[in-house]
Amino acid sequence: MLRIENLGKRFGDKAALTGFSADIVHGSFVGVIGRSGAGKSTLLRCINRLIDPSEGRIILDGRDVTHLRGKALRDWRASCGMIFQQFNLAGRLDVLTNVLMGRINHMSLVPSLLKMWPESEKLLALRALDRLDLGDFAGQRAESLSGGQQQRVAIARTLVQDPRIILADEPVASLDPRNTAIVMDALRDLNRDDGMTVICNLHSLELARAYCSRLIGMKAGRIVFDGSPDMLTDEAVTDLYGLEANDVLDTAEAAARSSTGRADLQSAA
């Protein structure tokens, strides 16, 4: 179990995260929702230890990882694979090399710096690409791929880290609807098929309801909702999104009608 106890983060006088506490069981798909600036990204960066929390603890299976340093910290970051909105790929390098970068923590320093990848590592990366339907693109430069393909490369890179937890920070915010579905399906498959814990920041309420088994709603750095998607009432959405609530609800309802319409057409066919 991942246990987060009274986690807080301050940037100067501003509190980005305050008193965040939650127990997340292994194999969960948790969506973190709320307006921009609610503290969602800060939460994931604290869990991964990209930034240090100002207070509180992060505990995995009884082990306190809040103050790890050196190799222990690098190992922790490898076990908490991060997927970002911006992909963070080396555009001029080929896709296979980008994926292999996820194995650096598993190799000695000199071979990884010289890109002297053993065949076993290359095969591991190719299997990850095949799983995400990208095996044919292994030799292409990453910058030549579409946004959705690049995000799947980023997921493959995370996959070869052999993580226990995937932390996805608005992974589909810059993608079109088709690629959004492909990327979210890939995360759902890793959760269902591999039992990986996925914690995913999402601005889209319809995506959160469609893919996540649990939703945590944040406002001003605090938890204001924690429950299953069917427990998220219109009143809770209004509390979370404020003036944006009507737009969020209208978008979610339109998506639901569109999904129902597609299902009816497929049934008729």
Side-chain angles (χ1 to χ4, degrees):
M1 175 183 292
L2 176 67
R3 172 162 289 174
I4 305 168
E5 294 182 349
N6 198 36
L7 201 65
K9 177 63 182 178
R10 300 187 68 87
F11 296 98
D13 294 333
K14 181 182 178 182
L17 203 62
T18 304
F20 188 103
S21 296
D23 288 343
I24 298 173
V25 299
H26 292 312
S28 300
F29 196 133
V30 180
V32 184
I33 59 175
R35 299 174 62 182
S36 297
K40 303 189 301 296
S41 295
T42 300
L43 171 66
L44 294 196
R45 282 165 168 75
C46 282
I47 294 173
N48 187 258
R49 295 286 317 285
L50 290 174
I51 57 176
D52 291 330
S54 303
E55 59 188 15
R57 297 196 303 168
I58 303 159
I59 302 167
L60 181 70
D61 294 338
R63 181 192 184 198
D64 191 335
V65 300
T66 317
H67 303 291
L68 296 177
R69 293 290 183 268
K71 185 178 185 302
L73 176 57
R74 293 193 296 273
D75 290 344
W76 171 249
R77 287 174 176 163
S79 70
C80 292
M82 282 286 293
I83 300 169
F84 300 91
Q85 177 181 343
Q86 297 83 7
F87 316 140
N88 291 342
L89 301 179
R92 295 186 178 183
L93 297 181
D94 61 65
V95 167
L96 182 63
T97 300
N98 270 280
V99 175
L100 284 165
M101 293 298 180
R103 295 294 297 172
I104 286 179
N105 196 56
H106 297 268
M107 294 181 58
S108 58
L109 181 61
V110 173
S112 61
L113 288 175
L114 297 176
K115 300 183 179 63
M116 299 170 59
W117 308 106
E119 287 301 313
S120 58
E121 298 292 327
K122 292 180 181 178
L123 288 174
L124 184 68
L126 284 170
R127 283 197 292 269
L129 286 170
D130 283 337
R131 183 169 180 179
L132 292 157
D133 200 24
L134 288 171
D136 293 340
F137 298 90
Q140 290 189 207
R141 285 165 62 141
E143 63 189 6
S144 70
L145 272 57
S146 70
Q149 290 170 330
Q150 289 188 51
Q151 190 61 290
R152 280 185 283 157
V153 173
I155 294 173
R157 181 184 59 196
T158 299
L159 186 58
V160 300
Q161 291 177 208
D162 194 24
R164 298 186 63 184
I165 302 168
I166 292 180
L167 307 172
D169 190 8
E170 298 281 2
V172 296
S174 60
L175 303 182
D176 60 42
R178 177 180 176 275
N179 280 304
T180 289
I182 292 172
V183 168
M184 291 303 298
D185 285 350
L187 291 175
R188 180 184 59 195
D189 290 345
L190 291 175
N191 172 251
R192 289 182 178 178
D193 298 342
D194 293 50
M196 287 188 190
T197 303
V198 177
I199 306 175
C200 185
N201 289 348
L202 291 166
H203 189 72
S204 167
L205 187 57
E206 65 269 22
L207 289 177
R209 282 175 163 160
Y211 287 92
C212 304
S213 56
R214 175 183 176 188
L215 300 180
I216 295 177
M218 295 186 65
K219 182 179 180 181
R222 298 178 181 272
I223 296 177
V224 296
F225 175 85
D226 187 354
S228 62
D230 57 7
M231 293 170 61
L232 187 67
T233 62
D234 288 356
E235 290 77 11
V237 172
T238 300
D239 186 33
L240 273 171
Y241 292 95
L243 294 176
E244 299 177 19
N246 287 336
D247 291 338
V248 171
L249 287 169
D250 288 345
T251 302
E253 289 172 2
R257 289 195 299 270
S258 176
S259 177
T260 301
R262 286 196 299 269
D264 290 343
L265 286 173
Q266 290 171 352
S267 296

